[in-house]
Amino acid sequence: MTIRFDDPAWLALAALAIPLAFVALRWLHAMSRARRWSAVVVRTLLLLLIAGALAGASSVRTTTRLAVIAVVDVSDSVRTLAFPDRAEAYSTALRAWFERAKDTRNPDDLFGVVAFDARRAALLAPAARDTGELDFSLSMREGTNIEDALRFANAMFPPGASRRILLVSDGVETGGDALAAARDLSSGAAATPVDVLPIVYAPQRETMIEALDAPPSAARDSIVPVRVTLRATGRTAGTLRLFLEGRPVRDESGATSRRVEFGPGRTVETFQVRLDDRRVNRFEAIFDPDADDEGVPIGDRVASNNRAEAFTISPGRGAVLLVDGVSDASPAGPGRTLARTLAQGGVDVEVVAPREIPPDPLTLQNYDLIALQNVAADDVSLGVQQLLADAVTRSGAGLVMIGGPNSFGAGGWKGSPLEPLLPVTLDLPEQLIVPPAAIVIVLDSSGSMAMSVLGSGRSQQDIANEGAARAILSLDEQDLVGVLEFNNSTRFVVPLGPNRDARASAQRVRSIVPGGGTNLYPAIAQAGDALAQVDAQVKHVIVLSDGIAMGSARVGYDAVERMRDQGITVSTIAVGDGADTETLQEIARRGSGAFYRVIDPNTLPRIFLRETRVVRKPLLREGEFAPVMLPSGSPITSGVSPSTPPLFGYVLTQRRDGAQATYAIDSPSGEPILAHWNAGLGRVAAFTSDAHDNWARAWLAWPGYAQLWTQLARTVARPPATRGYDLATDIQGDTLALRLDARDDEGRPLDLLTVPGVVYLPDGTREEVTLAQTGPGVYEARLDAPESGAYIVALTPRLGERALAPVLGGATRATGPELRTLQSNVGLLREVAQRTGGRVLSLDDPTASGLFDRAGLEPSRASLPIWRPLLVLAMLVFLLDVATRRVAWDRWLSREAIADLREAAAATRAAKAAGVTGALRRARDRADADGLPAPAKLERMQFDPRAEAERRKAIRHAVQTRQREQAQPQPAPPLAADPPSATPQAEPENAAGLLAAKRRARERMQGPGDA
């Protein structure tokens, strides 16, 4: 082991020891020589310790341990072009290669795995254990970023081991710079060699649709050209078909397909297509190559690149999307009542179930109005909720929420992306004094909850925490909420109380981390005890667990039955394959709640929201009442008779304080029934009663019913698009280019506009963009577009504070750059290996690879900082330094002090001997008095020969002392204060010598100043 210093300049402090030593020797002359030099040595040691700590001292040891991290490419090009026959063939081949290549691995060697495409994820942290069954079939994002994966792997290496990276890839990168990463990995003291394992392919026969081009915008009912670009590596023949909204497009001859023969190279086929009256016209092109007698395509290996999509936006007539949460879009259900009424009023209506809401922003552009009829929040994913909000605020679409038992606050919409857009608040009216609901969420936080979900970076605990957090955010401030986590023990993360600060409570829940066992039953009992102490209209417990509970289930059953008798219901959620589903199902049955069996934990947030709806029933006000038509001047109620039939229920909401909303109809107690306002670029309306034969059953035969709903649809729906904006979108290489030409009604350029917007990427994410002015009325922007699919652009231009009409456009990439290359880039991989000092390995011969070969690798040096122990030792030495200078320890080691100590010890021994002699004499005298023979008496006293020897030795010492005193010219006078001798008169000389020795020893020890 050697010592290394991070900042050795601090060692110069040790030079201060020389002047300090000189000063100490000059000024500490009153000390003995030993004490002076010890002070110098201790002070020098203190300086050395402080200098070493400041210099960052570390102990360095050498080790032969090796850590290898395999960086495996899982992009589409590797799996489809190199292994086109079976999807799992790639994973099987790599597992077999790793199994055979680890023969040279030592027991303490480490092995880790990183998978990557456009993103990267650690499949296995570097460890000495067996790798197990690795799965390389995951797909994160289209593309390949070798640089990011290499840097990520290099950061995973543990200290104290030599490093080696194995890169498994085809070398086709669509992002990053692999050579830049190789340059950094090869520099510095901790250089990391990168071995490469090329995945080689070069298909001789391949056909693809390279591009499908359609105009981004066009006039309604116009004829537009649609071009299909085909590419083949050899001579190819097949059938090309084009579809518009799923219907085959006929060419000039009336045929729905076109025979194409071309190659090698590219060919372009053009179709003339008449647009529908829809706002968004979708195109899809499909090429089917000829097949042999067994049905195998000739000249084509990959089928996924034989289709492409594009779209054209026109100012067509938008429809109304009615989301039926009443009867789940059943054709004969009561939810169709409103749809039929609107259709009779000339409104184009499309009815879907809540789970059938289009999940992409492009399809939503076909609808000028979206109506949610008794739809619960847990029936709509969070991503779709955000898309609905964007459709209103950014694209100008209309939104109306219609009431029912599962709508507004009763449906869990509080805390959702749509809540801020509503013209009413979902909080409970303040006149409700008794808390309407009390809910305790019992969350499993055992160690098994750390398991990742579907190969992602999120654990079951993360998703469960998020579900509980969203449930808290959906509750009202007056609701009582608590969150109890359990593993081996239980703990209230959120104590049961009013939901005053929902965001803070949600944040505490999101911080729960897994660890420990699964002790469920005490947690259930504790939740029941907490709820039994509060007053609420509804009391409910939600239990989530992913394991088998410790202890007897009878304990849990008894607790649940006691809770049920107290009016507390219990629902349970079983997550994963290891949960005790039978016990949890029985707990839910005995607790009069619901049981959920969850395989995919991603559905947990929706289940939590569904369960919170159980406690939202106090938000419903059912019973006959007469609506109050207000003189609001709203165009929705214009011309509608104020004498309305009664309604029989509504959902409790409140007016927004200071909001510029229009309240057209109220309940007799003042809660809103119909309200509307502007939200962003769109309009939003809220009707808190329903629109079918339940609460509104008396309205169905009323003539004002059809008039009111038809006027509401036309008022809230998106207005027709204005002219003057021309948005051009084009994908150039891996870049999406945007250009907006803005002109007024007279054709003059509109300058000084602010043009923000959002681009929806093919993977469902969104990216903010702002166009900058580059010319008169011209605004441009560019952003990366590496993936295949549709890029949808929604711009919201503004002139000062005035919002202008939204502009929608987009472009489509048929295939990504990976699948267009059709050949692996082995040259790039060889360059990476050469720059880092790595090797080029072969997938065909893993035994010759030497994956854990240490040739060319220097032994690793593990550095352990020791500056902290040095500081601790410096503090101890500092105390010793102070003690050396302040405590006169040297006088205990002088020649005079040693002599005095010897004399004092001798005097003590003499005193003991005199005492023994006196005792013997007194014993003899008593024996004479008793008339016994002296020897017998002495035998009874058990005379000790050792004591007699001590006595004689003391006598000799006293005689010698007396002789020395007589040899002195001036003997010291006797002390007047000395007490008379207790020694018998027969030995006066011995006593006098003893007293004189004691006196001199006392004078020397006290010193001259102490007398």
Side-chain angles (χ1 to χ4, degrees):
M1 184 182 69
T2 59
I3 302 298
R4 181 174 62 86
F5 298 97
D6 296 335
D7 193 0
W10 285 102
L11 296 177
L13 285 177
L16 293 176
I18 298 176
L20 287 177
F22 177 77
V23 172
L25 293 176
R26 283 289 301 269
W27 293 95
L28 301 179
H29 59 275
M31 298 181 182
S32 64
R33 178 179 299 177
R35 187 176 169 192
R36 287 199 306 270
W37 279 104
S38 64
V40 172
V41 171
V42 172
R43 181 62 59 87
T44 302
L45 179 60
L46 178 61
L47 280 174
L48 291 176
L49 290 173
I50 295 176
L54 293 175
S58 301
S59 64
V60 181
R61 63 183 182 87
T62 303
T63 177
T64 59
R65 194 180 197 187
L66 177 61
V68 176
I69 296 182
V71 181
V72 181
D73 190 344
V74 295
S75 61
D76 291 340
S77 60
V78 172
R79 291 187 295 183
T80 59
L81 294 176
F83 297 87
D85 299 331
R86 292 182 300 123
E88 67 277 6
Y90 184 46
S91 295
T92 303
L94 284 183
R95 284 197 298 266
W97 192 91
F98 287 135
E99 186 66 26
R100 296 195 302 269
K102 67 180 183 181
D103 293 339
T104 58
R105 179 180 180 181
N106 292 340
D108 61 340
D109 286 342
L110 308 179
F111 183 66
V113 179
V114 172
F116 75 97
D117 43 27
R119 296 175 178 171
R120 73 285 191 280
L123 298 187
L124 181 67
R129 63 180 182 270
D130 189 20
T131 59
E133 289 292 326
L134 294 172
D135 185 12
F136 299 103
S137 61
L138 75 161
S139 179
M140 293 168 284
R141 186 173 181 178
E142 184 179 354
T144 304
N145 193 326
I146 300 176
E147 177 189 6
D148 182 53
L150 289 177
R151 297 187 187 278
F152 179 72
N154 193 54
M156 289 177 56
F157 280 110
S162 300
R163 303 178 172 191
R164 186 186 294 278
I165 292 178
L166 173 66
L167 174 60
V168 184
S169 176
D170 59 357
V172 178
E173 57 178 349
T174 62
D177 187 351
L179 295 180
R183 181 180 60 253
D184 294 341
L185 291 176
S186 62
S187 61
T192 305
V194 179
D195 297 338
V196 296
L197 182 64
I199 305 298
V200 182
Y201 58 85
Q204 300 299 319
R205 305 286 298 275
E206 179 61 34
T207 305
M208 69 171 64
I209 297 179
E210 193 171 61
L212 176 61
D213 296 317
S217 61
R220 180 181 176 183
D221 294 331
S222 61
I223 298 177
V224 297
V226 179
R227 290 182 293 273
V228 183
T229 303
L230 299 168
R231 178 186 169 195
T233 58
R235 190 65 182 174
T236 301
T239 303
L240 178 63
R241 291 174 295 167
L242 182 67
F243 297 87
L244 172 61
E245 297 297 333
R247 301 185 305 273
V249 174
R250 299 180 180 274
D251 59 12
E252 295 80 359
S253 62
T256 58
S257 62
R258 183 178 298 180
R259 179 71 180 172
V260 180
E261 295 184 9
F262 70 102
R266 293 179 175 85
T267 186
V268 178
E269 299 290 330
T270 302
F271 295 81
Q272 299 294 328
V273 184
R274 179 178 294 277
L275 300 179
D276 290 342
D277 58 356
R278 301 171 62 92
R279 188 181 301 276
V280 178
N281 295 266
R282 288 178 177 268
F283 300 98
E284 182 180 18
I286 299 176
F287 178 74
D288 295 320
D290 293 342
D292 57 18
D293 296 337
E294 297 180 358
V296 177
I298 301 174
D300 190 50
R301 300 182 65 188
V302 181
S304 60
N305 57 7
N306 291 345
R307 64 176 60 231
E309 294 183 350
F311 62 91
T312 297
I313 297 176
S314 65
R317 183 178 62 180
V320 173
L321 180 66
L322 179 61
V323 184
D324 180 14
V326 177
S327 51
D328 209 28
S330 172
R336 292 276 178 165
T337 302
L338 180 58
R340 288 191 291 267
T341 300
L342 293 176
Q344 292 172 1
V347 178
D348 187 10
V349 182
E350 183 177 340
V351 182
V352 299
R355 288 182 174 83
E356 296 174 350
I357 299 176
D360 65 283
L362 187 60
T363 304
L364 286 177
Q365 296 303 319
N366 281 316
Y367 308 105
D368 290 338
L369 175 65
I370 302 166
L372 303 178
Q373 184 178 212
N374 192 38
V375 176
D378 57 270
D379 286 337
V380 183
S381 69
L382 183 61
V384 173
Q385 292 181 25
Q386 186 62 56
L387 287 178
L388 294 177
D390 288 346
V392 174
T393 59
R394 294 182 177 274
S395 301
L399 174 70
V400 55
M401 183 173 285
I402 304 171
N406 296 327
S407 187
F408 293 100
W413 287 100
K414 183 174 174 58
S416 70
L418 294 186
E419 183 199 10
L421 307 184
L422 298 175
V424 295
T425 66
L426 306 186
D427 297 321
L428 284 170
E430 296 179 357
Q431 60 265 30
L432 294 178
I433 299 176
V434 177
I439 182 171
V440 174
I441 301 173
V442 181
L443 274 184
D444 188 348
S445 61
S446 60
S448 56
M449 291 291 287
M451 183 179 300
S452 61
V453 176
L454 301 178
S456 68
R458 304 185 69 192
S459 65
Q460 291 185 161
Q461 190 74 64
D462 294 334
I463 299 176
N465 294 349
E466 183 61 28
R470 289 182 58 188
I472 292 173
L473 293 173
S474 71
L475 295 171
D476 192 76
E477 290 185 359
Q478 300 182 36
D479 292 330
L480 304 179
V481 63
V483 178
L484 180 68
E485 71 158 317
F486 71 92
N487 39 58
N488 292 328
S489 59
T490 61
R491 178 176 72 97
F492 263 107
V493 179
V494 178
L496 182 60
N499 193 29
R500 301 297 186 195
D501 193 348
R503 295 189 180 277
S505 299
Q507 189 61 33
R508 289 198 295 270
V509 171
R510 291 187 176 106
S511 65
I512 296 177
V513 295
T518 308
N519 197 5
L520 169 63
Y521 306 126
I524 294 178
Q526 187 173 353
D529 293 341
L531 286 173
Q533 305 300 319
V534 301
D535 185 15
Q537 298 181 27
V538 179
K539 301 180 181 181
H540 190 56
V541 175
I542 304 174
V543 179
L544 180 142
S545 178
D546 78 329
I548 298 177
M550 303 161 55
S552 173
R554 184 73 255 174
V555 176
Y557 296 159
D558 293 342
V560 170
E561 290 174 352
R562 289 195 302 269
M563 294 162 62
R564 181 192 59 198
D565 296 339
Q566 297 172 338
I568 303 172
T569 56
V570 182
S571 293
T572 57
I573 305 172
V575 183
D577 297 330
D580 188 354
T581 56
E582 294 182 1
T583 300
L584 292 175
Q585 189 170 8
E586 183 64 16
I587 288 175
R589 187 186 69 81
R590 294 172 183 257
S592 300
F595 168 74
Y596 300 92
R597 178 77 170 92
V598 178
I599 301 299
D600 181 6
N602 287 312
T603 62
L604 284 176
R606 184 176 298 177
I607 292 175
F608 273 106
L609 286 177
R610 182 177 303 172
E611 275 302 297
T612 56
R613 284 198 283 125
V614 174
V615 302
R616 309 310 296 147
K617 292 181 180 179
L619 286 171
L620 305 180
R621 182 66 56 85
E622 296 187 288
E624 182 177 348
F625 70 94
V628 179
M629 196 78 69
L630 301 176
S632 60
S634 169
I636 297 177
T637 57
S638 177
V640 178
S641 172
S643 301
T644 65
L647 293 171
F648 295 89
Y650 62 97
V651 186
L652 289 174
T653 60
Q654 296 190 90
R655 298 190 178 201
R656 288 191 178 272
D657 294 335
Q660 300 297 321
T662 300
Y663 298 96
I665 304 177
D666 275 0
S667 69
S669 55
E671 291 89 12
I673 300 297
L674 174 61
H676 60 90
W677 71 343
N678 295 330
L681 298 178
R683 302 185 183 96
V684 181
F687 188 78
T688 59
S689 187
D690 64 23
H692 60 283
D693 57 0
N694 185 19
W695 293 341
R697 55 182 177 270
W699 278 37
L700 301 184
W702 175 48
Y705 174 81
Q707 181 183 2
L708 184 142
W709 281 107
T710 301
Q711 292 180 173
L712 186 150
R714 299 190 185 280
T715 301
V716 179
R718 172 169 39 203
T722 59
R723 299 181 180 179
Y725 299 100
D726 184 14
L727 176 61
T729 58
D730 185 28
I731 295 180
Q732 303 169 357
D734 292 340
T735 302
L736 174 64
L738 306 178
R739 176 188 170 97
L740 176 67
D741 290 322
R743 300 182 179 277
D744 59 16
D745 295 338
E746 299 179 1
R748 293 173 299 187
L750 289 175
D751 296 328
L752 303 178
L753 295 182
T754 303
V755 189
V758 62
V759 179
Y760 298 92
L761 306 181
D763 62 355
T765 60
R766 40 186 281 173
E767 184 172 338
E768 302 289 337
V769 64
T770 300
L771 277 64
Q773 185 169 4
T774 59
V778 178
Y779 303 83
E780 295 181 329
R782 302 172 72 89
L783 68 154
D784 294 335
E787 301 180 37
S788 61
Y791 292 81
I792 303 163
V793 183
L795 303 179
T796 54
R798 306 182 66 88
L799 181 59
E801 297 296 327
R802 182 168 62 93
L804 305 180
V807 182
L808 185 69
T812 303
R813 157 166 270 171
T815 58
E818 284 187 308
L819 298 182
R820 292 200 306 268
T821 304
L822 297 179
Q823 185 174 347
S824 56
N825 190 354
V826 180
L828 175 67
L829 299 177
R830 292 182 181 274
E831 182 69 17
V832 169
Q834 181 180 357
R835 291 193 178 190
T836 60
R839 302 163 299 173
V840 180
L841 308 180
S842 172
L843 188 63
D844 299 327
D845 189 7
T847 58
S849 66
L851 183 59
F852 290 89
D853 187 8
R854 289 163 171 77
L857 292 178
E858 295 183 0
S860 175
R861 291 175 174 81
S863 179
L864 178 64
I866 60 173
W867 59 269
R868 289 185 180 89
L870 290 180
L871 283 181
V872 174
L873 188 58
M875 289 168 31
L876 298 177
V877 173
F878 174 75
L879 296 177
L880 182 60
D881 176 55
V882 174
T884 299
R885 291 180 288 107
R886 297 298 182 186
V887 179
W889 54 267
D890 54 333
R891 67 184 181 186
W892 296 95
L893 301 178
S894 64
R895 188 174 301 173
E896 295 81 359
I898 294 174
D900 290 342
L901 290 175
R902 288 177 178 175
E903 290 182 4
T908 302
R909 290 195 297 268
K912 290 182 179 178
V916 171
T917 302
L920 290 175
R921 289 175 177 173
R922 289 190 294 273
R924 184 180 58 188
D925 295 341
R926 286 196 298 271
D928 293 340
D930 293 341
L932 296 174
K937 284 283 187 177
L938 292 175
E939 185 179 358
R940 289 178 59 188
M941 292 295 293
Q942 296 182 356
F943 176 75
D944 188 359
R946 295 178 59 186
E948 179 65 17
E950 290 288 340
R951 182 184 69 82
R952 293 183 178 183
K953 185 176 179 180
I955 293 173
R956 288 195 301 268
H957 180 74
V959 171
Q960 293 174 359
T961 303
R962 183 63 178 173
Q963 291 175 353
R964 287 197 300 271
E965 291 177 351
Q966 292 176 353
Q968 294 179 357
Q970 294 182 354
L975 292 175
D978 288 345
S981 175
T983 308
Q985 296 297 325
E987 296 181 359
E989 294 182 358
N990 292 344
L994 178 61
L995 292 174
K998 292 175 63 178
R999 176 176 55 79
R1000 289 193 301 272
R1002 184 166 59 249
E1003 290 176 351
R1004 290 192 180 98
M1005 293 300 294
Q1006 290 178 350
D1010 297 334

